[in-house]
Amino acid sequence: MTDSISPPRCACTCCAADQDQPRDPARRSMLGGALALSALAIPGVALAQATPVRKPEVGDKLAFMLGDRKDQEVKPDDVKVGAEPVLAYPLAPDGKVLLAKANLLTVVRLAPDQLKPASAKNAADGIVAFSSLCTHYGCPITTLHPDKTKIVCNCHGSIFDATDRGAVAQGPATRRLAMLPLAMKDGAIVVAGKFDGPLGPPTS
């Protein structure tokens, strides 16, 4: 009789935790979606390395990252209260989409009276934008929390409060998301300032 040999296990903490859990098809599907979005962002990184792409600037608009309207402008009516986040890139005045992983945005809309002052001052009619890079491991933030006021990283479950400047509501992330100030101008969503904090996971 031949002894069975188990495949080697990853030694990292997050993978070890996953390996010890039952195989949940729904969770696997959710993680697969997050990984697919990560892969979609990779071409932007390669492009940015070959041809440097600037960061968002005042006056830029927003463009859809995915879907039938990919690279087209995100209009105010496209972002609805209680709807899943819109993933977007900055759209320069000359029509160029500023495609780079560091520029990927998670955009949601809240009722204005839900916003705390720190978020309200950077919102456009309840629409707020955050760096999509989770501050734990850099996965894209793609999901709205069931309470409709927070956004969730599906890789390891970090939750961020969209009403309070992207504050961490649940780890493993320990640092809030960077917020990108927005405003309304002539009926369009426009960038109104620079990111208000560092992007992605701490580097040290």
Side-chain angles (χ1 to χ4, degrees), residues 69-102:
R69 293 174 59 197
K70 181 178 181 293
D71 296 340
Q72 296 181 28
E73 182 183 345
V74 178
K75 303 291 183 65
D77 287 346
D78 295 323
V79 191
K80 301 185 184 301
V81 175
E84 287 297 315
V86 171
L87 296 183
Y89 286 114
L91 179 65
D94 64 2
K96 179 181 179 181
V97 178
L98 302 179
L99 182 67
K101 185 176 181 180

PDB file of all heavy atoms in Angstrom, residues 69-102:
ATOM      1  N   ARG A  69     -18.830  50.484 -20.012  1.00  0.00           N
ATOM      2  CA  ARG A  69     -18.425  51.892 -20.125  1.00  0.00           C
ATOM      3  C   ARG A  69     -16.984  52.103 -19.667  1.00  0.00           C
ATOM      4  O   ARG A  69     -16.612  53.202 -19.265  1.00  0.00           O
ATOM      5  CB  ARG A  69     -19.391  52.766 -19.330  1.00  0.00           C
ATOM      6  CG  ARG A  69     -20.804  52.780 -19.929  1.00  0.00           C
ATOM      7  CD  ARG A  69     -21.773  53.527 -19.049  1.00  0.00           C
ATOM      8  NE  ARG A  69     -21.357  54.900 -18.854  1.00  0.00           N
ATOM      9  CZ  ARG A  69     -21.827  55.690 -17.885  1.00  0.00           C
ATOM     10  NH1 ARG A  69     -22.720  55.214 -17.033  1.00  0.00           N
ATOM     11  NH2 ARG A  69     -21.405  56.929 -17.766  1.00  0.00           N
ATOM     12  N   LYS A  70     -16.189  51.077 -19.755  1.00  0.00           N
ATOM     13  CA  LYS A  70     -14.775  51.172 -19.396  1.00  0.00           C
ATOM     14  C   LYS A  70     -14.138  52.380 -20.090  1.00  0.00           C
ATOM     15  O   LYS A  70     -14.336  52.609 -21.284  1.00  0.00           O
ATOM     16  CB  LYS A  70     -14.048  49.889 -19.804  1.00  0.00           C
ATOM     17  CG  LYS A  70     -12.568  49.853 -19.468  1.00  0.00           C
ATOM     18  CD  LYS A  70     -11.970  48.521 -19.884  1.00  0.00           C
ATOM     19  CE  LYS A  70     -10.497  48.424 -19.537  1.00  0.00           C
ATOM     20  NZ  LYS A  70      -9.666  49.356 -20.313  1.00  0.00           N
ATOM     21  N   ASP A  71     -13.394  53.160 -19.304  1.00  0.00           N
ATOM     22  CA  ASP A  71     -12.679  54.356 -19.761  1.00  0.00           C
ATOM     23  C   ASP A  71     -13.594  55.549 -20.028  1.00  0.00           C
ATOM     24  O   ASP A  71     -13.106  56.623 -20.389  1.00  0.00           O
ATOM     25  CB  ASP A  71     -11.835  54.084 -21.013  1.00  0.00           C
ATOM     26  CG  ASP A  71     -10.716  53.079 -20.755  1.00  0.00           C
ATOM     27  OD1 ASP A  71     -10.345  52.893 -19.576  1.00  0.00           O
ATOM     28  OD2 ASP A  71     -10.214  52.483 -21.723  1.00  0.00           O
ATOM     29  N   GLN A  72     -14.903  55.378 -19.846  1.00  0.00           N
ATOM     30  CA  GLN A  72     -15.819  56.505 -20.005  1.00  0.00           C
ATOM     31  C   GLN A  72     -16.035  57.206 -18.666  1.00  0.00           C
ATOM     32  O   GLN A  72     -15.837  56.625 -17.597  1.00  0.00           O
ATOM     33  CB  GLN A  72     -17.159  56.035 -20.574  1.00  0.00           C
ATOM     34  CG  GLN A  72     -17.066  55.464 -21.980  1.00  0.00           C
ATOM     35  CD  GLN A  72     -18.421  55.038 -22.514  1.00  0.00           C
ATOM     36  OE1 GLN A  72     -19.457  55.572 -22.130  1.00  0.00           O
ATOM     37  NE2 GLN A  72     -18.418  54.059 -23.411  1.00  0.00           N
ATOM     38  N   GLU A  73     -16.471  58.447 -18.728  1.00  0.00           N
ATOM     39  CA  GLU A  73     -16.628  59.254 -17.519  1.00  0.00           C
ATOM     40  C   GLU A  73     -17.697  58.691 -16.583  1.00  0.00           C
ATOM     41  O   GLU A  73     -18.775  58.273 -17.018  1.00  0.00           O
ATOM     42  CB  GLU A  73     -17.000  60.685 -17.903  1.00  0.00           C
ATOM     43  CG  GLU A  73     -17.152  61.622 -16.714  1.00  0.00           C
ATOM     44  CD  GLU A  73     -17.601  63.013 -17.114  1.00  0.00           C
ATOM     45  OE1 GLU A  73     -17.528  63.345 -18.320  1.00  0.00           O
ATOM     46  OE2 GLU A  73     -18.027  63.768 -16.223  1.00  0.00           O
ATOM     47  N   VAL A  74     -17.381  58.699 -15.298  1.00  0.00           N
ATOM     48  CA  VAL A  74     -18.351  58.350 -14.260  1.00  0.00           C
ATOM     49  C   VAL A  74     -19.164  59.605 -13.948  1.00  0.00           C
ATOM     50  O   VAL A  74     -18.611  60.629 -13.528  1.00  0.00           O
ATOM     51  CB  VAL A  74     -17.645  57.847 -12.984  1.00  0.00           C
ATOM     52  CG1 VAL A  74     -18.678  57.542 -11.893  1.00  0.00           C
ATOM     53  CG2 VAL A  74     -16.788  56.616 -13.281  1.00  0.00           C
ATOM     54  N   LYS A  75     -20.464  59.532 -14.158  1.00  0.00           N
ATOM     55  CA  LYS A  75     -21.352  60.663 -13.890  1.00  0.00           C
ATOM     56  C   LYS A  75     -21.961  60.520 -12.486  1.00  0.00           C
ATOM     57  O   LYS A  75     -22.024  59.413 -11.935  1.00  0.00           O
ATOM     58  CB  LYS A  75     -22.471  60.705 -14.933  1.00  0.00           C
ATOM     59  CG  LYS A  75     -21.981  60.783 -16.380  1.00  0.00           C
ATOM     60  CD  LYS A  75     -21.339  62.120 -16.679  1.00  0.00           C
ATOM     61  CE  LYS A  75     -20.917  62.226 -18.150  1.00  0.00           C
ATOM     62  NZ  LYS A  75     -22.051  62.196 -19.081  1.00  0.00           N
ATOM     63  N   PRO A  76     -22.432  61.620 -11.901  1.00  0.00           N
ATOM     64  CA  PRO A  76     -23.012  61.541 -10.550  1.00  0.00           C
ATOM     65  C   PRO A  76     -24.110  60.490 -10.419  1.00  0.00           C
ATOM     66  O   PRO A  76     -24.170  59.776  -9.410  1.00  0.00           O
ATOM     67  CB  PRO A  76     -23.548  62.958 -10.323  1.00  0.00           C
ATOM     68  CG  PRO A  76     -22.647  63.827 -11.145  1.00  0.00           C
ATOM     69  CD  PRO A  76     -22.339  63.021 -12.378  1.00  0.00           C
ATOM     70  N   ASP A  77     -24.968  60.359 -11.428  1.00  0.00           N
ATOM     71  CA  ASP A  77     -26.065  59.396 -11.343  1.00  0.00           C
ATOM     72  C   ASP A  77     -25.592  57.945 -11.434  1.00  0.00           C
ATOM     73  O   ASP A  77     -26.374  57.019 -11.175  1.00  0.00           O
ATOM     74  CB  ASP A  77     -27.092  59.656 -12.448  1.00  0.00           C
ATOM     75  CG  ASP A  77     -27.923  60.904 -12.184  1.00  0.00           C
ATOM     76  OD1 ASP A  77     -27.889  61.410 -11.042  1.00  0.00           O
ATOM     77  OD2 ASP A  77     -28.598  61.373 -13.120  1.00  0.00           O
ATOM     78  N   ASP A  78     -24.329  57.740 -11.807  1.00  0.00           N
ATOM     79  CA  ASP A  78     -23.786  56.383 -11.882  1.00  0.00           C
ATOM     80  C   ASP A  78     -23.424  55.828 -10.508  1.00  0.00           C
ATOM     81  O   ASP A  78     -23.208  54.618 -10.363  1.00  0.00           O
ATOM     82  CB  ASP A  78     -22.530  56.351 -12.761  1.00  0.00           C
ATOM     83  CG  ASP A  78     -22.814  56.693 -14.210  1.00  0.00           C
ATOM     84  OD1 ASP A  78     -23.877  56.288 -14.710  1.00  0.00           O
ATOM     85  OD2 ASP A  78     -21.970  57.370 -14.839  1.00  0.00           O
ATOM     86  N   VAL A  79     -23.315  56.698  -9.529  1.00  0.00           N
ATOM     87  CA  VAL A  79     -22.911  56.288  -8.178  1.00  0.00           C
ATOM     88  C   VAL A  79     -24.116  56.496  -7.268  1.00  0.00           C
ATOM     89  O   VAL A  79     -24.495  57.633  -6.984  1.00  0.00           O
ATOM     90  CB  VAL A  79     -21.703  57.101  -7.675  1.00  0.00           C
ATOM     91  CG1 VAL A  79     -21.143  56.476  -6.396  1.00  0.00           C
ATOM     92  CG2 VAL A  79     -20.618  57.186  -8.740  1.00  0.00           C
ATOM     93  N   LYS A  80     -24.712  55.404  -6.831  1.00  0.00           N
ATOM     94  CA  LYS A  80     -25.974  55.484  -6.096  1.00  0.00           C
ATOM     95  C   LYS A  80     -25.799  55.080  -4.637  1.00  0.00           C
ATOM     96  O   LYS A  80     -24.974  54.219  -4.315  1.00  0.00           O
ATOM     97  CB  LYS A  80     -27.023  54.595  -6.767  1.00  0.00           C
ATOM     98  CG  LYS A  80     -27.290  54.984  -8.229  1.00  0.00           C
ATOM     99  CD  LYS A  80     -28.408  54.171  -8.826  1.00  0.00           C
ATOM    100  CE  LYS A  80     -28.604  54.498 -10.311  1.00  0.00           C
ATOM    101  NZ  LYS A  80     -28.906  55.927 -10.539  1.00  0.00           N
ATOM    102  N   VAL A  81     -26.581  55.700  -3.776  1.00  0.00           N
ATOM    103  CA  VAL A  81     -26.567  55.359  -2.352  1.00  0.00           C
ATOM    104  C   VAL A  81     -26.948  53.889  -2.184  1.00  0.00           C
ATOM    105  O   VAL A  81     -27.946  53.423  -2.748  1.00  0.00           O
ATOM    106  CB  VAL A  81     -27.549  56.251  -1.563  1.00  0.00           C
ATOM    107  CG1 VAL A  81     -27.624  55.802  -0.101  1.00  0.00           C
ATOM    108  CG2 VAL A  81     -27.122  57.712  -1.639  1.00  0.00           C
ATOM    109  N   GLY A  82     -26.137  53.153  -1.436  1.00  0.00           N
ATOM    110  CA  GLY A  82     -26.424  51.754  -1.158  1.00  0.00           C
ATOM    111  C   GLY A  82     -25.999  50.781  -2.235  1.00  0.00           C
ATOM    112  O   GLY A  82     -26.167  49.571  -2.076  1.00  0.00           O
ATOM    113  N   ALA A  83     -25.424  51.282  -3.338  1.00  0.00           N
ATOM    114  CA  ALA A  83     -24.980  50.401  -4.422  1.00  0.00           C
ATOM    115  C   ALA A  83     -23.533  49.979  -4.201  1.00  0.00           C
ATOM    116  O   ALA A  83     -22.779  50.622  -3.455  1.00  0.00           O
ATOM    117  CB  ALA A  83     -25.117  51.105  -5.764  1.00  0.00           C
ATOM    118  N   GLU A  84     -23.138  48.899  -4.866  1.00  0.00           N
ATOM    119  CA  GLU A  84     -21.758  48.435  -4.769  1.00  0.00           C
ATOM    120  C   GLU A  84     -20.801  49.520  -5.280  1.00  0.00           C
ATOM    121  O   GLU A  84     -21.173  50.344  -6.120  1.00  0.00           O
ATOM    122  CB  GLU A  84     -21.569  47.150  -5.577  1.00  0.00           C
ATOM    123  CG  GLU A  84     -22.200  45.926  -4.936  1.00  0.00           C
ATOM    124  CD  GLU A  84     -21.586  45.590  -3.583  1.00  0.00           C
ATOM    125  OE1 GLU A  84     -20.348  45.616  -3.451  1.00  0.00           O
ATOM    126  OE2 GLU A  84     -22.357  45.309  -2.645  1.00  0.00           O
ATOM    127  N   PRO A  85     -19.568  49.532  -4.779  1.00  0.00           N
ATOM    128  CA  PRO A  85     -18.618  50.568  -5.202  1.00  0.00           C
ATOM    129  C   PRO A  85     -18.361  50.558  -6.701  1.00  0.00           C
ATOM    130  O   PRO A  85     -18.403  49.517  -7.356  1.00  0.00           O
ATOM    131  CB  PRO A  85     -17.338  50.198  -4.432  1.00  0.00           C
ATOM    132  CG  PRO A  85     -17.795  49.393  -3.269  1.00  0.00           C
ATOM    133  CD  PRO A  85     -19.000  48.639  -3.747  1.00  0.00           C
ATOM    134  N   VAL A  86     -18.100  51.736  -7.224  1.00  0.00           N
ATOM    135  CA  VAL A  86     -17.615  51.892  -8.593  1.00  0.00           C
ATOM    136  C   VAL A  86     -16.091  51.933  -8.529  1.00  0.00           C
ATOM    137  O   VAL A  86     -15.516  52.697  -7.747  1.00  0.00           O
ATOM    138  CB  VAL A  86     -18.151  53.194  -9.225  1.00  0.00           C
ATOM    139  CG1 VAL A  86     -17.474  53.462 -10.570  1.00  0.00           C
ATOM    140  CG2 VAL A  86     -19.664  53.118  -9.391  1.00  0.00           C
ATOM    141  N   LEU A  87     -15.431  51.111  -9.334  1.00  0.00           N
ATOM    142  CA  LEU A  87     -13.976  51.163  -9.438  1.00  0.00           C
ATOM    143  C   LEU A  87     -13.626  52.082 -10.594  1.00  0.00           C
ATOM    144  O   LEU A  87     -14.146  51.928 -11.705  1.00  0.00           O
ATOM    145  CB  LEU A  87     -13.395  49.775  -9.661  1.00  0.00           C
ATOM    146  CG  LEU A  87     -13.602  48.771  -8.519  1.00  0.00           C
ATOM    147  CD1 LEU A  87     -12.919  47.455  -8.847  1.00  0.00           C
ATOM    148  CD2 LEU A  87     -13.091  49.317  -7.202  1.00  0.00           C
ATOM    149  N   ALA A  88     -12.753  53.041 -10.332  1.00  0.00           N
ATOM    150  CA  ALA A  88     -12.482  54.078 -11.327  1.00  0.00           C
ATOM    151  C   ALA A  88     -11.021  54.495 -11.304  1.00  0.00           C
ATOM    152  O   ALA A  88     -10.307  54.289 -10.316  1.00  0.00           O
ATOM    153  CB  ALA A  88     -13.372  55.295 -11.056  1.00  0.00           C
ATOM    154  N   TYR A  89     -10.613  55.089 -12.418  1.00  0.00           N
ATOM    155  CA  TYR A  89      -9.312  55.747 -12.527  1.00  0.00           C
ATOM    156  C   TYR A  89      -9.552  57.238 -12.765  1.00  0.00           C
ATOM    157  O   TYR A  89     -10.599  57.629 -13.301  1.00  0.00           O
ATOM    158  CB  TYR A  89      -8.512  55.192 -13.709  1.00  0.00           C
ATOM    159  CG  TYR A  89      -7.932  53.817 -13.509  1.00  0.00           C
ATOM    160  CD1 TYR A  89      -8.384  52.734 -14.266  1.00  0.00           C
ATOM    161  CD2 TYR A  89      -6.911  53.596 -12.591  1.00  0.00           C
ATOM    162  CE1 TYR A  89      -7.838  51.465 -14.099  1.00  0.00           C
ATOM    163  CE2 TYR A  89      -6.363  52.333 -12.419  1.00  0.00           C
ATOM    164  CZ  TYR A  89      -6.826  51.276 -13.175  1.00  0.00           C
ATOM    165  OH  TYR A  89      -6.286  50.026 -13.000  1.00  0.00           O
ATOM    166  N   PRO A  90      -8.587  58.087 -12.426  1.00  0.00           N
ATOM    167  CA  PRO A  90      -8.710  59.496 -12.801  1.00  0.00           C
ATOM    168  C   PRO A  90      -8.724  59.647 -14.325  1.00  0.00           C
ATOM    169  O   PRO A  90      -8.079  58.884 -15.049  1.00  0.00           O
ATOM    170  CB  PRO A  90      -7.452  60.135 -12.196  1.00  0.00           C
ATOM    171  CG  PRO A  90      -6.981  59.167 -11.153  1.00  0.00           C
ATOM    172  CD  PRO A  90      -7.362  57.813 -11.657  1.00  0.00           C
ATOM    173  N   LEU A  91      -9.470  60.642 -14.764  1.00  0.00           N
ATOM    174  CA  LEU A  91      -9.593  60.946 -16.191  1.00  0.00           C
ATOM    175  C   LEU A  91      -9.107  62.377 -16.405  1.00  0.00           C
ATOM    176  O   LEU A  91      -9.724  63.330 -15.925  1.00  0.00           O
ATOM    177  CB  LEU A  91     -11.055  60.802 -16.624  1.00  0.00           C
ATOM    178  CG  LEU A  91     -11.403  61.108 -18.076  1.00  0.00           C
ATOM    179  CD1 LEU A  91     -10.735  60.109 -19.018  1.00  0.00           C
ATOM    180  CD2 LEU A  91     -12.925  61.085 -18.273  1.00  0.00           C
ATOM    181  N   ALA A  92      -7.988  62.523 -17.097  1.00  0.00           N
ATOM    182  CA  ALA A  92      -7.380  63.841 -17.295  1.00  0.00           C
ATOM    183  C   ALA A  92      -8.234  64.703 -18.224  1.00  0.00           C
ATOM    184  O   ALA A  92      -9.031  64.185 -19.017  1.00  0.00           O
ATOM    185  CB  ALA A  92      -5.976  63.680 -17.872  1.00  0.00           C
ATOM    186  N   PRO A  93      -8.079  66.026 -18.152  1.00  0.00           N
ATOM    187  CA  PRO A  93      -8.856  66.916 -19.025  1.00  0.00           C
ATOM    188  C   PRO A  93      -8.689  66.630 -20.512  1.00  0.00           C
ATOM    189  O   PRO A  93      -9.594  66.909 -21.304  1.00  0.00           O
ATOM    190  CB  PRO A  93      -8.315  68.307 -18.662  1.00  0.00           C
ATOM    191  CG  PRO A  93      -7.869  68.166 -17.242  1.00  0.00           C
ATOM    192  CD  PRO A  93      -7.297  66.781 -17.151  1.00  0.00           C
ATOM    193  N   ASP A  94      -7.541  66.056 -20.905  1.00  0.00           N
ATOM    194  CA  ASP A  94      -7.332  65.745 -22.325  1.00  0.00           C
ATOM    195  C   ASP A  94      -7.948  64.409 -22.733  1.00  0.00           C
ATOM    196  O   ASP A  94      -7.779  63.953 -23.868  1.00  0.00           O
ATOM    197  CB  ASP A  94      -5.844  65.766 -22.673  1.00  0.00           C
ATOM    198  CG  ASP A  94      -5.042  64.681 -21.943  1.00  0.00           C
ATOM    199  OD1 ASP A  94      -5.647  63.875 -21.197  1.00  0.00           O
ATOM    200  OD2 ASP A  94      -3.803  64.635 -22.122  1.00  0.00           O
ATOM    201  N   GLY A  95      -8.676  63.765 -21.798  1.00  0.00           N
ATOM    202  CA  GLY A  95      -9.345  62.505 -22.099  1.00  0.00           C
ATOM    203  C   GLY A  95      -8.518  61.270 -21.824  1.00  0.00           C
ATOM    204  O   GLY A  95      -8.993  60.149 -22.034  1.00  0.00           O
ATOM    205  N   LYS A  96      -7.300  61.437 -21.329  1.00  0.00           N
ATOM    206  CA  LYS A  96      -6.445  60.289 -21.036  1.00  0.00           C
ATOM    207  C   LYS A  96      -6.808  59.689 -19.685  1.00  0.00           C
ATOM    208  O   LYS A  96      -6.909  60.397 -18.683  1.00  0.00           O
ATOM    209  CB  LYS A  96      -4.979  60.717 -21.030  1.00  0.00           C
ATOM    210  CG  LYS A  96      -4.009  59.583 -20.712  1.00  0.00           C
ATOM    211  CD  LYS A  96      -2.568  60.074 -20.706  1.00  0.00           C
ATOM    212  CE  LYS A  96      -1.600  58.951 -20.357  1.00  0.00           C
ATOM    213  NZ  LYS A  96      -0.192  59.426 -20.329  1.00  0.00           N
ATOM    214  N   VAL A  97      -7.020  58.373 -19.661  1.00  0.00           N
ATOM    215  CA  VAL A  97      -7.262  57.662 -18.404  1.00  0.00           C
ATOM    216  C   VAL A  97      -5.914  57.416 -17.736  1.00  0.00           C
ATOM    217  O   VAL A  97      -4.993  56.870 -18.354  1.00  0.00           O
ATOM    218  CB  VAL A  97      -7.989  56.329 -18.658  1.00  0.00           C
ATOM    219  CG1 VAL A  97      -8.189  55.576 -17.341  1.00  0.00           C
ATOM    220  CG2 VAL A  97      -9.332  56.572 -19.334  1.00  0.00           C
ATOM    221  N   LEU A  98      -5.797  57.822 -16.479  1.00  0.00           N
ATOM    222  CA  LEU A  98      -4.520  57.722 -15.764  1.00  0.00           C
ATOM    223  C   LEU A  98      -4.410  56.335 -15.136  1.00  0.00           C
ATOM    224  O   LEU A  98      -4.596  56.136 -13.939  1.00  0.00           O
ATOM    225  CB  LEU A  98      -4.425  58.826 -14.717  1.00  0.00           C
ATOM    226  CG  LEU A  98      -4.563  60.246 -15.290  1.00  0.00           C
ATOM    227  CD1 LEU A  98      -4.490  61.286 -14.184  1.00  0.00           C
ATOM    228  CD2 LEU A  98      -3.499  60.510 -16.354  1.00  0.00           C
ATOM    229  N   LEU A  99      -4.097  55.381 -15.998  1.00  0.00           N
ATOM    230  CA  LEU A  99      -4.094  53.969 -15.645  1.00  0.00           C
ATOM    231  C   LEU A  99      -2.827  53.605 -14.884  1.00  0.00           C
ATOM    232  O   LEU A  99      -1.734  53.569 -15.451  1.00  0.00           O
ATOM    233  CB  LEU A  99      -4.195  53.133 -16.923  1.00  0.00           C
ATOM    234  CG  LEU A  99      -4.254  51.623 -16.774  1.00  0.00           C
ATOM    235  CD1 LEU A  99      -5.544  51.207 -16.098  1.00  0.00           C
ATOM    236  CD2 LEU A  99      -4.135  50.956 -18.146  1.00  0.00           C
ATOM    237  N   ALA A 100      -2.980  53.368 -13.590  1.00  0.00           N
ATOM    238  CA  ALA A 100      -1.881  52.927 -12.740  1.00  0.00           C
ATOM    239  C   ALA A 100      -2.485  52.330 -11.481  1.00  0.00           C
ATOM    240  O   ALA A 100      -3.522  52.799 -10.999  1.00  0.00           O
ATOM    241  CB  ALA A 100      -0.952  54.087 -12.383  1.00  0.00           C
ATOM    242  N   LYS A 101      -1.866  51.305 -10.960  1.00  0.00           N
ATOM    243  CA  LYS A 101      -2.400  50.647  -9.767  1.00  0.00           C
ATOM    244  C   LYS A 101      -2.584  51.643  -8.629  1.00  0.00           C
ATOM    245  O   LYS A 101      -3.582  51.609  -7.907  1.00  0.00           O
ATOM    246  CB  LYS A 101      -1.471  49.514  -9.337  1.00  0.00           C
ATOM    247  CG  LYS A 101      -2.001  48.697  -8.168  1.00  0.00           C
ATOM    248  CD  LYS A 101      -1.087  47.524  -7.859  1.00  0.00           C
ATOM    249  CE  LYS A 101      -1.633  46.703  -6.696  1.00  0.00           C
ATOM    250  NZ  LYS A 101      -0.757  45.549  -6.380  1.00  0.00           N
ATOM    251  N   ALA A 102      -1.627  52.561  -8.479  1.00  0.00           N
ATOM    252  CA  ALA A 102      -1.701  53.533  -7.389  1.00  0.00           C
ATOM    253  C   ALA A 102      -2.831  54.533  -7.573  1.00  0.00           C
ATOM    254  O   ALA A 102      -3.192  55.237  -6.621  1.00  0.00           O
ATOM    255  CB  ALA A 102      -0.369  54.272  -7.262  1.00  0.00           C
TER     256      ALA A 102
END
